Amino acid sequence: MKRRTALTGTAALALAASLPLPALAQKKIVLGFSQIGAESEWRTANTESIKQAAKDAGIELKFADAQQKQENQIKAIRSFIAQKVDVIAFSPVVESGFETVLREAKAAKIPVILTDRAVNAKDDSLWVTFMGSDFLEEGRKAGRWLLDKEKNTKGDVNIVELQGTVGSAPAIDRKKGFEEIIKTQPRFKIVRSQTGDFTRAKGKEVMQAFLKADPKKINVLYAHNDDMAIGAIQAIEEAGLKPGKDITIISIDGVKGAFEAMMAGKLNVSVECSPLLGPQLMKAVQDVVAGKPVPKRIVTQESVFPMETAAAEFPKRKY
Ligand code: AHR
């Protein structure tokens, strides 16, 4: 028994000597991530997904919250470059104005991954891949749902629109996609449109102004995200109207709060936009570091949830 232990010990020592030290063999990948902020239930779920996935993948995450300011994102990216991280990823608060800092990252040979939102720079060599939803299609889905709902009605359909953050990819594309569909029937009219910055508080405030100022009857609210719709629902109720009945409400994201509103009959439909990008981001980071090819565009597959489906879907929701 004693002799066998000694032999095993010798063999183990020989084996260990032939292997590289774990610390040298497996240097942890360092990822710098600049998040937009915490403006919505969606964003909170997105942050959790990224933090959890980094932990699961054994990637060291340097996380910076930009508090919805582009200047903070630029500062964070510069600081990641100075720290020589392996990969930089970020969700750009607005589409324009990132070219200079992206060139700096390229000059430092640090690959950049765009998540959730795109930039409108012409030089697409400035990022390796862009993963996230097709916002244009989300706007179209919202428009198609409305046209279908109203297919047996006649007369004008007056719509008010709560836009997302000015200059952001989802605000631009969700507006464009929705308009592309409704313009095929001129009786669908956007009578007012203003930003609510993707937050509940501003969604409520702007909806209050719409209800107060607009002499025309509001038939439909199209909100670029669930949080603004939830804020607007409060404003509609405070004005003595029934959300979901007196005013049809369409929004985007599919967060739990929206499902609760749908189950209460106050929100008619939510077009899904998944924030659960963490696992695919970590996979792309590992592939980029390993020199493997990654697709230039990774589109998230998503559904549409009308209120009638909410109770059955709710228990399955992960965000
Ligand atoms: O970029 C995705 C959008 O940003 C979500 O729809 C919205 O809720 C978030 O703040």
Side-chain angles (χ1 to χ4, degrees):
M1 179 68 192
K2 238 184 173 176
R3 203 170 139 247
R4 236 179 57 201
T5 311
L7 280 175
T8 310
T10 313
L13 275 175
L15 183 68
S18 70
L19 288 174
L21 288 171
L24 293 175
Q26 292 206 324
K27 187 186 154 283
K28 249 193 175 186
I29 297 172
V30 181
L31 167 67
F33 185 84
S34 166
Q35 179 60 290
I36 291 175
E39 75 281 6
S40 61
E41 219 179 302
W42 190 101
R43 189 64 54 199
T44 305
N46 181 245
T47 295
E48 277 167 17
S49 170
I50 288 163
K51 287 186 174 171
Q52 187 58 50
K55 222 180 199 178
D56 295 345
I59 290 175
E60 185 185 331
L61 178 68
K62 292 184 183 292
F63 184 90
D65 178 338
Q67 299 182 333
Q68 276 182 283
K69 291 201 177 85
Q70 182 175 34
E71 73 227 49
N72 290 345
Q73 286 204 298
I74 293 174
K75 260 190 224 156
I77 296 169
R78 289 209 167 110
S79 136
F80 296 148
I81 297 172
Q83 293 173 67
K84 298 187 169 54
V85 299
D86 297 304
V87 180
I88 293 172
F90 78 114
S91 182
V93 61
V94 289
E95 278 191 338
S96 56
F98 284 102
E99 281 204 51
T100 307
V101 75
L102 287 176
R103 281 189 206 298
E104 292 167 24
K106 191 178 175 185
K109 297 194 170 41
I110 301 177
V112 171
I113 297 177
L114 301 177
T115 71
D116 165 36
R117 298 186 184 178
V119 294
N120 62 6
K122 285 202 184 84
D123 179 3
D124 72 358
S125 74
L126 297 176
W127 60 93
V128 187
T129 181
F130 162 42
M131 61 180 60
S133 308
D134 181 342
F135 297 136
L136 203 61
E137 191 51 28
E138 290 172 351
R140 290 187 191 120
K141 285 178 184 166
R144 284 188 207 114
W145 180 88
L146 179 61
L147 258 51
D148 186 59
K149 178 184 181 286
E150 299 293 331
K151 64 179 183 278
N152 297 322
T153 67
K154 286 203 169 74
D156 285 354
V157 178
N158 295 327
I159 305 162
V160 293
E161 180 183 34
L162 282 170
Q163 296 181 38
T165 302
V166 177
S168 69
I172 295 167
D173 289 349
R174 287 172 184 171
K175 180 168 186 54
K176 212 164 151 192
F178 184 76
E179 284 176 352
E180 183 189 305
I181 301 298
I182 62 156
K183 77 171 183 216
T184 59
Q185 295 192 28
R187 72 187 183 102
F188 289 83
K189 297 177 175 37
I190 297 182
V191 292
R192 281 182 187 269
S193 179
Q194 210 175 303
T195 182
D197 210 11
F198 282 131
T199 69
R200 279 184 198 202
K202 286 204 183 139
K204 180 175 180 183
E205 195 183 303
V206 177
M207 191 68 204
Q208 277 169 336
F210 285 164
L211 288 162
K212 208 168 155 199
D214 214 313
K216 295 182 189 177
K217 183 175 164 8
I218 299 171
N219 306 115
V220 176
L221 162 67
Y222 169 44
H224 289 190
N225 82 342
D226 290 337
D227 279 75
M228 292 190 294
I230 293 166
I233 285 170
Q234 288 173 20
I236 294 168
E237 287 182 320
E238 284 169 17
L241 295 168
K242 290 198 171 66
K245 293 187 182 71
D246 296 328
I247 298 178
T248 297
I249 306 180
I250 306 168
S251 67
I252 299 182
D253 278 354
V255 297
K256 282 188 180 160
F259 275 80
E260 280 157 5
M262 286 195 280
M263 289 188 293
K266 298 178 181 182
L267 175 68
N268 301 78
V269 64
S270 185
V271 174
E272 189 181 30
C273 175
S274 175
L276 308 177
L277 300 173
Q280 64 188 26
L281 171 59
M282 299 314 147
K283 164 90 174 65
V285 167
Q286 285 165 331
D287 286 350
V288 168
V289 171
K292 293 187 192 162
V294 285
K296 196 78 194 173
R297 176 78 172 102
I298 303 170
V299 185
T300 317
Q301 299 306 310
E302 291 151 341
S303 313
V304 176
F305 299 109
M307 66 184 348
E308 298 74 22
T309 66
E313 285 296 328
F314 186 67
K316 299 180 228 160
R317 300 305 293 163
K318 292 199 173 71
Y319 62 93

